[in-house]
Amino acid sequence: MALATMSKVIVITIRPKLRVLFHHPLRGNSNTLPLLAWHYVFVQQQTGRTLEPVLAFARSSTIYFCQLVCKSPDNVQFVLLQKLTVPYVLIHMMWINAKTLITVDSLERMHLVDVRHDEELQVLDVGDVKLVYGSSHFKSLATGGNVSPAMALAGENACYQSVALFRGQVLLLGTKSLHVFTIRTWFERINYLARQEHYVEALALALSFYEGSARAVIGLDSNVEKRKGLIASKLLRVLYEFVEASATKNVPTRGAIHLLVEHYESVMPVCIESCISIDRTDVLFGDVYDRFSQDFVAKALFLESLEPYILDDKLRHIAPAVMQELVENYEERKEIDDLERLIVHLDIMSMNIDHIVKLCWKHSLYDGIIYIFNQSMNDYISPLEELLNILMDSILNKKDLTDKVVKLANKVLVYVSCCLAGRAYPVGDISESIMLQVKTSVLKALTVLHTKQPAEEEPVYPYLRTLLHYSTREFLNALALAFEEPEFESEVGRQQKQRIVDILLQIMVDNMEFSPTQVGALFTFLARQMAKAANTIYVSRMLFEQVLEYLSNPNDSSRHEEREQALIELLHAAGLQQFDEERLLALAERAEFYRVCELLYDKQHQYDKVLSCYLRDTSRQVQAFRFIEIVMSNPARKAAEKKAFRRKVLESIELLVAIDQQQTAELLACVFPDSMHEVTTRLAHEPRLLYAFLTGLIDYKESQAIGIKKKEGIVIGSDVYEQYIDLMCEFDPANVCTYVKSTDAYRLENTLEICKKHQVMDAMAHLLEKSGQVHDAFVILLQVCIYLLCRCLSSLFTPRSRKALLISFQKTEIL
């Protein structure tokens, strides 16, 4: 038994003894009363759906739903399932069925609420009923009003006895009348919309009933099959009305043709969706199609509207007559590619196979050809051979590959990959009963020695050769996936695998028609196969040596980067155990394969030679700085290794400066700070490089001073600054004055002598002024002005006048 007070709800049991099973606080406004309602509800549990008693209790604007779980007479528990908050004040609440609740608010509006989805379905104003309230009873007016003020206040909205439910009908007691409200049954709701000619909404509602997604459903059978049968029958009746209305009275009779098109574009999807949803395509391609086919616009739009449902695999079978019309429609509109996309999604029994095959060959619809042969005859070889014959003509004869040929080649590669992996093309899986046969026959077809009607000049293994020429890497990837299949684990499978490998070697190694990348891809594929634990293939080590010689030929300057990359991939796949390392290193050095040399030197811990590889490889020179930092900061490196490496870095300082003066300076400052004098000595014979290095060094020092660089600072003596100014006077005199103004790190007298030696006048004047010799500074600046003035006036005087003017300026005394 559930009881409620103004502050809490309580559930008690009376037998065998009185005890409290559950209690929960109720909070709300002082002028609201508690509300209670029991109902049996289907609750989803791990074991399935069970019918359980659920108590709904509420106050103010909050509703709680609590499930009673009775495990035994002595073990009764309550589980809080849900909490709803509504945007109004409740005065009454009751269940209409296991999913739906009816509430009445303080403004006398009745709300239909779907509990499971917390959705308000309908609101109805019942103010005209003039609901009877039990205020006098709650205020106890008959006994003199001896109740608490709180009870008297809350009683203003008491209507417990004025709202009731009887056989699905809601009864409301008004002051002068009794009102009965009912929720329409599912049948009545559909009819209501259909009578108003809201056919689209009526069909959508019927489908929601059919799919079980509708809310507040009344009157349907609990048996799923019976329920769906009833709904489907009603839906079809509404659909027939809709089709007839759409083809007659609702058709636009005036205006442009686009109005008619828009009308049918809105009608067709509704009809198609409705029939597909209830699995009645016989009606769709029977009565519905027959009615619309009487108008050529409606017929065309009906056929076009089928496309999205076919592509989504919602519609796999089409009546043969309609299929014929569909094909002709796409042919007339010249949308052949779209037709191909439809064909591979349709049941083969829908088609006129002879007509479709001819159409596909005529318009090069290769997906359609493959699909029809595979599905209608379980023939996976004929389309492969036909398509490979087309490819051979272009690829083996070295013709320019058109977009059409490239598209075909890509499709063939994907088709071969699918067949060898047991997948149907373009989607799905091959039937288990024929899967092994398909894989075997496809491999056999690819490895035939000659075609069925070979030309005199046809090479051996033409199909395999064609695919290898087009895309060696992709074909070998498909072959690698095929080798993972279980049939290659048997003795026969291992022999077949070895035979394929031998054929590949015969095709690609014994002649020069394949590029280094293609040959490298083959041996990379073979090396990966041989590296597997279950390896059963054999490849002579001499062949790997032969490929090594081929890729690292120093006399071949073509495709250098391509050959080096192919060799690197081969080394990563096969490992160095396949090669003589000394010979490999010698070949790589001769071929200038610096990345290969780097791998070998790194393995031998010869980091100085690794650095040399970086510096000789013009495309990766800038990476040398990071490598130097990594080696010198690695505590695992031995002292002897670091010493040799340091020596190599200092020997290469000229090249490092030429690569990047800023990074070289930063590297010396951070990694080799004690080698500054040695570096400047090494660079002394190259003044311009020394100047570049000192520029980078001083820039790095200044960036530390302003906080851009956070690494440990370095100390630069005044002699270095003076050496830098000396070189600046030689290579960049225009900026000397600006620089000496910006720093005080030099010795004034020495720097003044440097500027005098190079006759950098503006810098001399600044230094003289800075040392207190203002008069001498002024004289220098005046002489500069006189010189510049003479140059400006030279064009205005004769040579004799210019000479006299210059002498007079020189005799001018400075007071």
Side-chain angles (χ1 to χ4, degrees):
M1 179 184 293
L3 307 172
T5 69
M6 297 294 287
S7 60
K8 68 177 64 176
V9 61
I10 305 169
V11 180
I12 64 172
T13 180
I14 300 175
R15 294 178 180 178
K17 62 179 181 179
L18 182 67
R19 63 192 179 96
V20 176
L21 301 177
F22 171 75
H23 63 87
H24 193 280
L26 280 176
R27 297 182 178 87
N29 296 330
S30 58
N31 62 344
T32 58
L33 289 169
L35 305 172
L36 300 173
W38 283 100
H39 203 280
Y40 279 97
V41 175
F42 281 103
V43 178
Q44 187 67 41
Q45 298 181 354
Q46 293 181 349
T47 57
R49 295 178 65 194
T50 58
L51 193 63
E52 303 288 347
V54 171
L55 172 65
F57 55 93
R59 188 180 178 199
S60 191
S61 299
T62 306
I63 308 173
Y64 299 90
F65 298 90
C66 207
Q67 175 190 352
L68 185 151
V69 181
C70 184
K71 297 182 179 180
S72 68
D74 297 325
N75 186 5
V76 180
Q77 299 176 357
F78 280 81
V79 179
L80 188 63
L81 298 177
Q82 192 176 354
K83 175 184 175 182
L84 297 183
T85 301
V86 295
Y88 46 83
V89 177
L90 294 161
I91 62 172
H92 201 280
M93 173 185 70
M94 59 186 174
W95 293 93
I96 194 73
N97 58 33
K99 298 180 181 179
T100 314
L101 202 67
I102 285 184
T103 62
V104 182
D105 66 20
S106 57
L107 299 178
E108 296 189 357
R109 293 176 302 183
M110 192 157 54
H111 303 259
L112 188 65
V113 179
D114 183 277
V115 174
R116 184 168 300 173
H117 300 91
D118 188 12
E119 180 182 352
E120 187 171 86
L121 304 177
Q122 187 176 356
V123 180
L124 182 64
D125 191 342
V126 294
D128 294 340
V129 173
K130 300 188 183 303
L131 201 61
V132 173
Y133 292 93
S135 304
S136 59
H137 175 71
F138 273 80
K139 293 181 179 180
S140 193
L141 298 179
T143 59
N146 53 346
V147 297
S148 67
M151 183 65 76
L153 179 62
E156 293 290 340
N157 292 320
C159 59
Y160 290 132
Q161 311 304 321
S162 303
V163 183
L165 185 68
F166 179 72
R167 293 184 179 179
Q169 297 178 325
V170 180
L171 306 179
L172 297 185
L173 179 62
T175 55
K176 295 183 179 179
S177 58
L178 179 66
H179 295 258
V180 180
F181 296 86
T182 60
I183 297 178
R184 291 189 181 95
T185 64
W186 70 275
F187 194 86
E188 293 170 338
R189 289 166 68 179
I190 295 174
N191 280 342
Y192 174 76
L193 293 171
R195 281 196 301 270
Q196 295 184 338
E197 296 187 358
H198 295 163
Y199 295 112
V200 176
E201 292 82 355
L203 290 169
L205 180 61
L207 282 178
S208 69
F209 289 138
Y210 188 86
E211 295 165 355
S213 60
R215 310 283 191 261
V217 181
I218 303 293
L220 274 175
D221 197 293
S222 59
N223 182 281
V224 176
E225 291 185 6
K226 290 183 179 179
R227 181 170 69 242
K228 287 193 172 183
L230 286 170
I231 298 169
S233 178
K234 178 61 179 174
L235 185 147
L236 288 177
R237 288 197 291 273
V238 176
L239 178 63
Y240 288 137
E241 293 179 24
F242 176 53
V243 170
E244 189 61 31
S246 300
T248 54
K249 59 183 178 181
N250 291 341
V251 175
T253 56
R254 297 180 181 178
I257 187 67
H258 74 87
L259 296 177
L260 185 61
V261 172
E262 290 175 0
H263 166 70
Y264 283 122
E265 282 180 344
S266 65
V267 169
M268 299 306 172
V270 178
C271 300
I272 297 170
E273 185 74 40
S274 299
C275 292
I276 291 175
S277 298
I278 62 173
D279 196 21
R280 291 298 303 272
T281 53
D282 58 319
V283 174
L284 178 64
F285 299 122
D287 295 337
V288 175
Y289 178 70
D290 291 343
R291 186 66 184 88
F292 285 131
S293 61
Q294 297 173 19
D295 182 295
F296 75 95
V297 175
K299 177 181 176 181
L301 289 171
F302 178 90
L303 296 171
E304 293 171 24
S305 299
L306 296 174
E307 181 176 329
Y309 300 96
I310 297 173
L311 296 178
D312 289 341
D313 291 325
K314 293 180 178 180
L315 190 59
R316 295 276 299 165
H317 180 81
I318 296 179
V322 179
M323 181 65 192
Q324 185 67 26
E325 297 281 357
L326 180 69
V327 172
E328 291 175 1
N329 179 268
Y330 276 84
E331 281 189 276
E332 289 174 5
R333 293 190 288 128
K334 301 186 184 307
E335 295 180 358
I336 301 300
D337 290 339
D338 291 337
L339 176 60
E340 181 183 33
R341 291 166 55 218
L342 300 183
I343 289 173
V344 299
H345 285 270
L346 287 170
D347 182 1
I348 205 73
M349 301 306 293
S350 302
M351 306 177 193
N352 180 338
I353 294 176
D354 183 61
H355 175 72
I356 297 294
V357 169
K358 290 179 180 178
L359 178 71
C360 289
W361 281 119
K362 178 182 176 181
H363 296 285
S364 302
L365 305 182
Y366 303 122
D367 283 353
I369 293 168
I370 293 171
Y371 180 78
I372 292 170
F373 272 90
N374 291 174
Q375 297 299 317
S376 64
M377 296 170 278
N378 282 339
D379 184 354
Y380 289 78
I381 305 306
S382 297
L384 177 60
E385 291 176 341
E386 293 288 346
L387 298 180
L388 281 172
N389 287 331
I390 298 173
L391 278 181
M392 283 172 50
D393 181 56
S394 296
I395 294 177
L396 296 187
N397 293 328
K398 300 186 183 335
K399 295 180 181 179
D400 292 336
L401 298 184
T402 63
D403 291 341
K404 182 179 178 180
V405 173
V406 171
K407 183 179 178 181
L408 171 59
N410 289 332
K411 288 181 184 294
V412 171
L413 275 174
V414 176
Y415 177 61
V416 169
S417 179
C418 288
C419 290
L420 295 180
R423 303 282 296 173
Y425 179 87
V427 292
D429 292 298
I430 298 173
S431 172
E432 295 257 346
S433 60
I434 63 169
M435 185 183 295
L436 182 58
Q437 178 189 346
V438 169
K439 293 180 181 179
T440 305
S441 58
V442 167
L443 277 176
K444 184 178 179 180
L446 289 175
T447 56
V448 293
L449 190 62
H450 284 289
T451 59
K452 293 177 180 178
Q453 297 178 343
E456 290 184 6
E457 67 278 5
E458 180 182 278
V460 293
Y461 305 110
Y463 292 153
L464 210 54
R465 194 180 297 268
T466 297
L467 293 176
L468 288 169
H469 267 295
Y470 176 70
S471 180
T472 306
R473 195 179 302 276
E474 291 304 322
F475 176 70
L476 292 176
N477 285 342
L479 207 55
L481 291 175
F483 283 175
E484 297 294 328
E485 295 296 307
E487 55 266 19
F488 282 101
E489 297 175 3
S490 65
E491 182 62 30
V492 175
R494 289 194 289 269
Q495 293 175 3
Q496 178 77 344
K497 186 189 294 186
Q498 184 65 51
R499 177 176 175 270
I500 294 171
V501 169
D502 293 340
I503 294 173
L504 291 173
L505 291 170
Q506 179 183 342
I507 293 173
M508 298 189 68
V509 178
D510 293 347
N511 56 72
M512 301 297 292
E513 62 183 279
F514 290 91
S515 71
T517 296
Q518 291 172 314
V519 176
L522 170 63
F523 277 85
T524 299
F525 161 76
L526 295 176
R528 286 171 179 161
Q529 292 297 315
M530 295 171 67
K532 293 181 179 179
N535 170 51
T536 58
I537 65 172
Y538 170 76
V539 179
S540 170
R541 182 166 177 171
M542 292 299 297
L543 284 175
F544 279 94
E545 293 290 338
Q546 183 180 343
V547 172
L548 175 60
E549 290 274 3
Y550 170 65
L551 292 176
S552 58
N553 182 4
N555 298 322
D556 183 4
S557 59
S558 64
R559 297 177 170 178
H560 182 275
E561 182 70 22
E562 181 182 338
R563 290 186 290 115
E564 182 179 19
Q565 183 61 37
L567 182 54
I568 289 173
E569 291 181 7
L570 178 58
L571 291 175
H572 282 308
L576 296 175
Q577 67 272 14
Q578 295 288 346
F579 306 97
D580 181 340
E581 288 189 28
E582 292 185 7
R583 184 165 175 274
L584 174 61
L585 183 57
L587 289 171
E589 285 281 7
R590 282 166 46 200
E592 298 183 352
F593 287 173
Y594 297 122
R595 286 186 290 165
V596 176
C597 295
E598 177 192 335
L599 291 174
L600 299 170
Y601 286 135
D602 187 72
K603 183 185 176 185
Q604 299 169 2
H605 301 286
Q606 298 186 47
Y607 303 110
D608 54 334
K609 294 185 178 180
V610 175
L611 176 61
S612 178
C613 292
Y614 276 109
L615 295 176
R616 286 187 290 167
D617 190 347
T618 54
S619 64
R620 299 190 306 144
Q621 285 181 335
V622 73
Q623 299 177 27
F625 299 100
R626 178 60 181 160
F627 176 70
I628 295 170
E629 188 176 347
I630 290 173
V631 171
M632 295 304 296
S633 62
N634 191 340
R637 304 295 178 225
K638 296 179 181 178
E641 294 172 349
K642 288 188 176 181
K643 183 177 180 181
F645 186 71
R646 178 180 182 278
R647 184 168 57 252
K648 180 63 178 177
V649 172
L650 295 177
E651 289 173 357
S652 308
I653 195 67
E654 293 93 339
L655 182 54
L656 290 171
V657 173
I659 295 169
D660 192 318
Q661 64 189 47
Q662 186 69 40
Q663 289 199 62
T664 304
E666 184 173 344
L667 183 70
L668 267 292
C670 299
V671 182
F672 306 109
D674 55 340
S675 303
M676 200 67 63
H677 177 70
E678 184 178 351
V679 170
T680 54
T681 303
R682 282 182 176 275
L683 294 174
H685 67 285
E686 293 280 356
R688 188 169 289 279
L689 280 179
L690 178 59
Y691 175 61
F693 169 71
L694 292 177
T695 300
L697 183 67
I698 291 172
D699 287 347
Y700 175 74
K701 175 67 176 177
E702 291 176 354
S703 67
Q704 282 186 321
I706 61 176
I708 296 176
K709 301 287 185 180
K710 300 298 183 181
K711 295 182 181 179
E712 184 179 350
I714 58 170
V715 177
I716 301 178
S718 58
D719 57 330
V720 176
Y721 279 100
E722 291 163 9
Q723 186 179 18
Y724 174 60
I725 294 172
D726 190 6
L727 292 168
M728 186 184 290
C729 289
E730 181 177 354
F731 298 112
D732 191 14
N735 287 317
V736 173
C737 184
T738 302
Y739 180 72
V740 297
K741 288 180 180 179
S742 65
T743 182
D744 294 321
Y746 52 84
R747 289 170 293 188
L748 192 60
E749 294 180 1
N750 292 0
T751 306
L752 182 57
E753 290 301 319
I754 291 170
C755 292
K756 286 181 179 179
K757 180 178 71 173
H758 293 283
Q759 288 295 296
V760 183
M761 308 302 286
D762 53 347
M764 287 171 55
H766 171 73
L767 294 173
L768 286 169
E769 181 184 4
K770 190 173 181 180
S771 64
Q773 302 176 53
V774 178
H775 183 271
D776 293 342
F778 180 72
V779 169
I780 289 174
L781 292 176
L782 182 60
Q783 289 177 349
V784 172
C785 288
I786 291 171
Y787 174 74
L788 294 174
L789 183 61
C790 289
R791 288 190 60 184
C792 293
L793 297 177
S794 61
S795 60
L796 303 177
F797 297 91
T798 63
R800 180 177 296 180
S801 301
R802 285 201 301 270
K803 184 176 181 181
L805 179 64
L806 181 61
I807 293 172
S808 64
F809 274 129
Q810 290 174 344
K811 291 181 178 180
T812 302
E813 296 184 0
I814 306 302
L815 299 178

